[in-house]
């Protein structure tokens, strides 16, 4: 089995604080022997779980990158019980370029798992996570937004994994983000996702969609940062008192899901997209929720996008300029009680 070409000066067997990077060999036209640097920090102290915290899987998703950089500077070694591994910008070339896809090889890191140690830069990064960082971790946290393409209602989200104990761990950690909505999603855009690889390795996987676009409201930064700290307390790697929705004076988190392909609506034509409903808004079947306007035919009535079913708008398109086939809406529905029941009690098959 070929080994990863990635090198790091960080010694994972050592306690204390180490700041370094993952060095990925690559070439470009002005350097045949470059080392692409992905900054990484570890803090190990006492006994406890290993928690891998990452953002910048997509480069144009900012609140998580900022939350992890803050954490890296603010955490004291004695706050840790176990080990945290912090990577603020996992897809460093994309983060520097503010792009979803890597400018080095054009790849989407979140479609590149399990990766390939002999592949492109993006495949090499994915392979290193799959073979080195995931196996040493108990908890894998991957912080997203909708990028510049999509605006999400700020929420934590997860896959409905089959293993009952893993599902319960993931649901409780997802709830520890203390978001208004928690979202069960499906993979409509293909395979090779980072969280799926970590789930397949049995990890407690926590992911978020903290809005999107270039503007991050103060409240979303605050939610991203406070939620992350609370999840770290919840999983036992950070000392402190865990906050709950109740202790914050908030109503319980509402679980919603978009698990059918009909829940993902695509622009039927190219034009200027106008959302008729904000994210977080409840809609009824047949309700007009979006309009596509036509610059070259201002006299033409806009094409209306209707909700195919009742639900809640969890996400809509970000940029106004829209091409036919771009994702326009994601419509979510309340999660059935019988599923929510599996988040708090592990059912033993008899
Ligand atoms: Ca994303």
């Amino acid at each position: 089995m070929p080994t990863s070409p990635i090198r790091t000066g960080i010694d994972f067997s050592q306690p204390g604080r180490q700041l370094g990077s993952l060095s990925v060999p690559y070439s470009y036209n002005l350097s045949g022997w470059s080392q692409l640097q992905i900054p990484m920090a570890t803090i190990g102290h006492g006994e406890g779980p290993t928690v891998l915290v990452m953002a910048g899987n997509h480069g144009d998703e900012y609140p998580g990158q900022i939350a992890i950089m803050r954490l890296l500077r603010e955490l004291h070694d004695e706050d840790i019980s176990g080990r945290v591994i912090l990577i603020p910008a996992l897809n460093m070339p994309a983060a520097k370029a503010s792009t979803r896809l890597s400018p080095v090889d054009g790849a989407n890191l979140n479609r590149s798992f399990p990766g390939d140690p002999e592949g492109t830069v993006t495949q090499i990064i994915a392979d290193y996570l799959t073979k080195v960082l995931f196996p040493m971790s108990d908890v894998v946290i991957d912080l997203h937004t909708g990028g510049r393409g999509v605006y999400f209602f700020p929420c934590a989200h997860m896959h409905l994994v089959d293993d009952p104990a893993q599902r319960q761990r993931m649901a409780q950690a997802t709830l520890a983000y203390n978001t208004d909505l928690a979202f069960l999603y499906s993979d409509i855009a293909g395979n090779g996702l980072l969280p799926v690889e970590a789930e397949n390795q049995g990890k407690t996987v926590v992911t978020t969609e903290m809005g999107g676009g270039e503007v991050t409201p103060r409240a979303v930064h605050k939610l991203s940062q406070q939620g992350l700290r609370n999840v770290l307390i919840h999983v036992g790697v950070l000392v402190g008192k865990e906050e709950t929705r109740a202790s914050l004076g908030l109503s319980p988190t509402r679980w919603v899901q978009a698990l059918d392909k009909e829940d993902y609506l695509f622009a039927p034509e190219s034009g200027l997209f106008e959302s008729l409903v904000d994210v977080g808004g409840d809609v009824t079947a047949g309700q007009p929720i979006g309009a596509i306007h036509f610059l070259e035919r201002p006299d033409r009535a806009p094409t209306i996008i209707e909700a195919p079913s009742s639900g809640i708008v969890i996400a809509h398109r970000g940029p106004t300029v829209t091409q036919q086939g771009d994702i326009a809406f994601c419509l979510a529905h309340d999660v059935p009680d019988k599923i929510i029941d599996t988040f708090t009690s592990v059912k033993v098959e008899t």
Side-chain angles (χ1 to χ4, degrees):
M1 190 169 68
T3 56
S4 177
I6 289 183
R7 296 289 171 263
T8 179
I10 288 178
D11 181 350
F12 293 105
S13 70
Q14 292 303 310
R17 177 181 300 254
Q18 300 176 69
L19 177 62
S21 59
L22 299 173
S23 298
V24 192
Y26 85 115
S27 299
Y28 69 109
N29 285 331
L30 296 181
S31 175
W33 300 336
S34 266
Q35 294 282 319
L36 194 145
Q37 304 292 312
I38 302 170
M40 175 172 71
T42 64
I43 307 172
H45 180 266
E47 293 300 312
T50 292
V51 182
L52 174 61
V53 191
M54 301 168 288
N57 176 336
H58 294 132
D60 62 344
E61 304 182 0
Y62 312 108
Q65 299 182 39
I66 291 171
I68 297 173
M69 287 189 281
R70 278 189 172 275
L71 204 59
L72 191 159
R73 295 191 306 270
E74 292 168 2
L75 286 179
H76 301 289
D77 293 13
E78 56 273 22
D79 297 337
I80 298 299
S81 185
R83 174 172 53 180
V84 288
I85 303 171
L86 306 172
I87 306 179
L90 184 59
N91 191 342
M92 190 61 169
K96 281 180 162 177
S98 306
T99 55
R100 181 177 186 80
L101 310 179
S102 173
V104 176
D105 55 19
N108 180 346
L109 177 56
N110 213 25
R111 297 285 179 276
S112 300
F113 284 79
D116 180 355
E118 297 181 309
T120 66
V121 163
T122 301
Q123 291 169 323
I124 290 170
I125 296 169
D127 170 76
Y128 188 83
L129 290 164
T130 297
K131 296 212 192 96
V132 179
L133 294 183
F134 292 169
M136 72 171 72
S137 301
D138 302 292
V139 180
V140 173
I141 301 176
D142 188 28
L143 302 176
H144 283 250
T145 77
R148 284 182 292 183
V150 169
Y151 192 81
F152 265 91
F153 186 90
C155 62
H157 69 346
M158 63 176 263
H159 282 125
L160 202 55
V161 295
D162 290 332
D163 180 78
Q166 184 186 21
R167 181 188 293 189
Q168 187 181 0
R169 289 197 314 271
M170 285 174 55
Q172 295 307 313
T174 297
L175 287 173
Y177 230 101
N178 286 326
T179 49
D180 292 347
L181 300 179
F183 174 43
L184 302 179
Y185 69 103
S186 62
D187 304 333
I188 57 152
N191 301 314
L193 277 77
L194 182 155
V196 171
E197 178 57 39
E199 287 158 9
N200 290 344
Q201 294 189 26
K203 309 305 173 183
T204 301
V205 181
V206 181
T207 52
T208 62
E209 296 287 3
M210 287 290 163
E214 293 291 335
V215 178
T216 304
R218 187 67 218 141
V220 177
H221 276 306
K222 203 171 141 188
L223 183 63
S224 302
Q225 293 163 18
Q226 292 180 346
L228 176 57
R229 274 185 171 269
N230 203 54
V231 170
L232 295 180
I233 293 169
H234 172 79
V235 299
V237 78
L238 180 61
V239 297
K241 183 179 174 302
E242 183 178 349
E243 298 281 5
T244 63
R245 295 278 298 180
S247 72
L248 295 169
L250 301 169
S251 58
T253 293
R254 177 178 171 189
W255 281 99
V256 298
Q257 64 181 26
L259 301 178
D260 300 322
K261 66 181 192 316
E262 293 75 24
D263 297 330
Y264 298 80
L265 311 180
F266 301 92
E269 295 186 72
S270 302
L272 295 188
F273 171 79
E274 177 189 13
S275 178
L276 305 178
V277 180
D278 283 334
V279 293
D282 287 298
V283 298
T284 54
Q287 181 179 333
I289 56 175
I292 307 277
H293 300 268
F294 308 101
L295 279 178
E296 295 173 344
R297 287 292 308 278
D299 59 309
R300 188 180 158 195
T303 293
I304 298 298
I305 301 170
E306 294 180 351
S309 56
S310 296
I312 180 171
V313 173
I314 188 85
H316 64 55
R317 177 152 178 83
T320 299
V321 174
T322 296
Q323 302 300 318
Q324 184 182 55
D326 287 342
I327 182 78
F329 286 95
C330 178
L331 195 59
H333 310 276
D334 285 306
V335 176
D337 287 342
K338 67 177 194 300
I339 298 294
I340 294 176
D341 288 346
T342 67
F343 298 162
T344 48
S345 63
V346 178
K347 292 223 167 53
V348 179
E349 299 293 331
T350 53

